[in-house]
Amino acid sequence: MDSGTARADRSPADSHRGPVSHVVSHRSEPLIGGWRRASPVAIQLPVRNHDALTRSVTVRIVDNHEGILHAFEGWAASHPELVLLGAHADVTELDLSRDERPDVLVLDLYLGRDDRPSTGCIPRLVDWGTQVLLHTSTEVAVPLREAVAAGAAGLSLKNDGMAALHDAILAVAQGEFACSS
């Protein structure tokens, strides 16, 4: 961390939780004229131990971009700890009464030609018994907060790459909240 970023201190009660990673988030501050700017805020998150995962993680992906679906299929095939149950262009392609429920459903926040938010389907997917992981390119706070409030178990930004997505999938499969950046 650079010297210009404040570091949040761990309390003595947190000392038993092991190592932490540092994540820099942003906090909006009011400026003259009603504009807001983002300033860095340091947040500490526990370092995840994915080596403790002892079983395969079943995954489905819902994204309206065909190229992303094909890339995800190929990428998942190269990770033996992930079992891809399906790649879907829309949530309506899922039959929640017949399809095998995945441990993690990777969901694009905006679907369809009109990029409609997928937030409304999150409670139904959570009720199905899956962990919903948002995979999106948007960094707009309000729709992301709405999706988390609807039940999403984490967020992986598409710009953060496939390693971040992999870590987020494994984290939410273990019941953790995941946020790639």
Side-chain angles (χ1 to χ4, degrees), residues 61 63-73 87-89 108 158:
I61 182 170
D63 195 299
N64 60 319
H65 294 95
E66 185 178 0
I68 289 178
L69 294 177
H70 289 302
F72 189 88
E73 289 171 334
H88 313 274
D108 190 5
K158 290 179 179 178

Side-chain angles (χ1 to χ4, degrees), residues 72-177:
F72 189 88
E73 289 171 334
W75 172 81
S78 69
H79 289 83
E81 70 280 7
L82 302 178
V83 176
L84 183 62
L85 299 178
H88 313 274
D90 196 89
V91 176
T92 59
E93 293 180 11
L94 293 170
D95 183 346
L96 303 185
S97 64
R98 293 182 174 219
D99 288 341
E100 183 178 347
R101 177 184 44 89
D103 297 315
V104 179
L105 188 131
V106 178
L107 179 65
D108 190 5
L109 184 58
Y110 293 103
L111 297 171
R113 294 190 68 82
D114 57 351
D115 281 337
R116 70 189 184 299
S118 58
T119 307
C121 68
I122 293 174
R124 192 172 34 126
L125 295 169
V126 170
D127 288 345
W128 187 32
T130 190
Q131 298 284 354
V132 176
L133 174 64
L134 297 175
H135 189 231
T136 184
S137 58
T138 190
E139 295 181 26
V140 180
V142 172
L144 294 173
R145 287 182 187 142
E146 290 172 346
V148 170
L155 164 69
S156 179
L157 295 175
K158 290 179 179 178
N159 294 337
D160 288 342
M162 297 307 280
L165 176 60
H166 180 263
D167 287 348
I169 289 170
L170 297 181
V172 300
Q174 294 178 75
E176 299 174 24
F177 184 84

Side-chain angles (χ1 to χ4, degrees), residues 2-87:
D2 65 51
S3 60
T5 303
R7 181 173 168 238
D9 291 325
R10 289 172 51 185
S11 72
D14 291 336
S15 62
H16 69 281
R17 294 187 184 154
V20 294
S21 64
H22 291 69
V23 175
V24 176
S25 182
H26 290 85
R27 175 184 66 222
S28 294
E29 296 178 356
L31 291 177
I32 298 172
W35 291 93
R36 299 173 79 76
R37 70 176 173 88
S39 62
V41 176
I43 301 170
Q44 292 185 337
L45 298 174
V47 173
R48 296 182 179 102
N49 180 9
H50 297 304
D51 295 333
L53 190 64
T54 58
R55 62 174 179 80
S56 297
V57 175
T58 56
V59 181
R60 288 186 185 274
I61 182 170
V62 178
D63 195 299
N64 60 319
H65 294 95
E66 185 178 0
I68 289 178
L69 294 177
H70 289 302
F72 189 88
E73 289 171 334
W75 172 81
S78 69
H79 289 83
E81 70 280 7
L82 302 178
V83 176
L84 183 62
L85 299 178

